[in-house]
Amino acid sequence: MLVMKFGGSSVGDAKCFAQVVQIVQEAYAKDREIVVVVSAMSGVTNKLIACAQAAARGEHETYQRIKAELLSRHLETVAALELDPKIRLDVCSLIEDRLYDLERWCRSVAILRELTPRGLDLISSLGERLSVAMLAGALSTAGLKSQPVEATSLVVTDDNFGEATPLMDETQARVQATLVPMLRRGCIPVVTGFMGATKEGVITTLGRGGSDYTAAILGAVLKADEIQIWTDVDGILTADPRIVPEAQTLPEVTFREAAELSYFGAKVLHPKTVMPAAELGIPLRIVNTFNHKHPGTLLVHTLSSANSAAKAVTQIKDLSLITVEGRGMLGVPGIAARTFAAVARRGVNVLMISQSSSEQNICFVVPAARSQTVLASLRQELELEIARRNVERISSVDDVAIMAVIGSGMCHTPGMAGRIFTALGAEGINILAVAQGSSDCNLSVVISRQDADNATRAIHRDVLMPVRSE
Ligand code: ASP
Ligand code: MG
């Protein structure tokens, strides 16, 4: 049993669709039970959201123009797909009907001048409903038995519109009743990613990029042998190739390492979206639609090889390092709690924390755009301590970056930190703060933003590559 998810760039135009058909055909020859999950064509979800927002501003011309663009893009793609004539007729009328619906919905939004989260989900999930019909049509034309499935009848969620949470038991029952019989018949269901519905049948979405989530949910309830995420890169890389051109694809990564990488800015799967698969230990493979012979990266629970001391390096820029310091903070309980409460009250995300053991300072990293807000909030919260001189200084260093080195063996391998610091030292890069606490599979350093790319290259060259070949 295989779940294969194709993202927006994998169905960007007719040529891409043809590529996907070939990949599914090859997989079907080996594994007769396949569920396909598909996203909207690339850029379509953004356009649908823009359409809804234009309607909310009362801009009739704008939403009509976007609707017309979407209509011609989808119809042109269908024309180029050379579908079986009968299928083609059905697919074209579905596209026309749905986009006519879009126009009606937008007109209502424009009249009311109000776009509710519920209305936005209805509109933004439309792209997936078009692409399933197109892909199922293309698979059928190629001689495979296939059927489009709208996840409204499959993925049951709560009503947290825009970021709904799946109700796994209900979903399990629906999948058992609809998908399993199809699979038994040798039919390939092509399911809309991203969307779900409440128990009452109201359309919801799982959050941007939510098609991966759909694949993991279906893979989990079907206990798939593997979930494949087909995208436009060869898998997870050792570093961002725009910064480190010699970056390499990692054959195997743990779910924890992948989560850590995405937290620290790498464009990999969102940890929440892979959770259903990770919890059941279902392997998940990231593969490239445009280089489909490449094995990609396999995400697993436990690694098969031990070589995991340091695997990848990633960075986040445009951050500020905030420091709260004072000799009077020594042994005074509650300062850290109040510091972070003051930050949280402004809704600011803290990316990394470090406290010296002398307890005379706490430093932490926040997005640079929020640093002034954070400073003001801290000065207000700690007003009394400042007056009493227990807290002597609250300051920020702007223009910093976090560089994180990730690998599940990070903390159990002696000398890793030494190698990292040596590599940075050799480049003359100054380290402003360090943290290993957030997880035992990452070591993060705060450095000046202008050093970030150099630091990343140095770590890749002097630490990661030597470790990989050891
Ligand atoms: N089409 C949706 C989006 O762009 C879902 C996805 O691509 O995964 O967010
Ligand atoms: Mg997308």
Side-chain angles (χ1 to χ4, degrees), residues 286-460:
I286 302 176
V287 251
N288 190 350
T289 300
F290 309 102
N291 187 15
H292 74 288
K293 298 286 180 214
H294 193 290
T297 299
L298 190 64
L299 269 73
V300 289
H301 201 67
T302 8
L303 295 169
S304 60
S305 85
N307 196 357
S308 57
K311 273 197 172 152
V313 56
T314 182
Q315 47 164 270
I316 316 180
K317 289 177 177 149
D318 299 321
L319 302 173
S320 288
L321 179 69
I322 311 277
T323 306
V324 177
E325 59 190 318
R327 274 161 293 183
M329 283 164 64
L330 182 74
V332 182
I335 297 223
R338 284 171 51 207
T339 299
F340 292 114
V343 179
R345 263 201 300 282
R346 303 296 170 103
V348 177
N349 185 28
V350 175
L351 288 108
M352 189 187 115
I353 304 170
S354 164
Q355 183 188 21
S356 67
S357 54
S358 70
E359 294 182 46
Q360 293 183 11
N361 77 63
I362 305 169
C363 65
F364 56 92
V365 178
V366 297
R370 307 302 304 277
S371 76
Q372 289 312 314
T373 312
V374 168
L375 290 177
S377 181
L378 288 172
R379 287 184 180 129
Q380 195 182 0
E381 172 67 37
L382 300 172
E383 203 180 350
L384 207 64
E385 283 73 15
I386 295 168
R388 290 184 184 147
R389 305 196 38 85
N390 286 339
V391 168
E392 283 156 312
R393 215 157 74 99
I394 299 176
S395 58
S396 77
V397 182
D398 295 325
D399 270 333
V400 303
I402 293 181
M403 185 188 66
V405 187
I406 286 148
S408 51
M410 227 32 230
C411 297
H412 314 294
T413 313
M416 278 322 298
R419 289 168 81 161
I420 292 166
F421 297 144
T422 305
L424 296 178
E427 289 289 312
I429 293 166
N430 185 32
I431 298 170
L432 301 168
V434 183
Q436 191 176 38
S438 73
S439 136
D440 60 4
C441 70
N442 117 47
L443 189 137
S444 314
V445 296
V446 180
I447 51 184
S448 162
R449 188 191 190 283
Q450 71 203 31
D451 289 334
D453 289 355
N454 254 341
T456 302
R457 283 189 281 267
I459 295 299
H460 198 269

Side-chain angles (χ1 to χ4, degrees), residues 5 7-9 39-45 128 208-211:
K5 176 258 171 176
S9 60
S39 295
M41 292 177 77
S42 52
V44 165
T45 310
E128 272 72 10
R208 291 309 304 273
S211 299

Side-chain angles (χ1 to χ4, degrees), residues 224-247:
D225 298 307
E226 188 172 292
I227 298 164
Q228 299 180 343
I229 305 291
W230 289 87
T231 171
D232 53 5
V233 291
D234 286 340
I236 299 179
L237 297 176
T238 48
D240 182 343
R242 286 167 303 183
I243 300 164
V244 184
E246 55 285 1

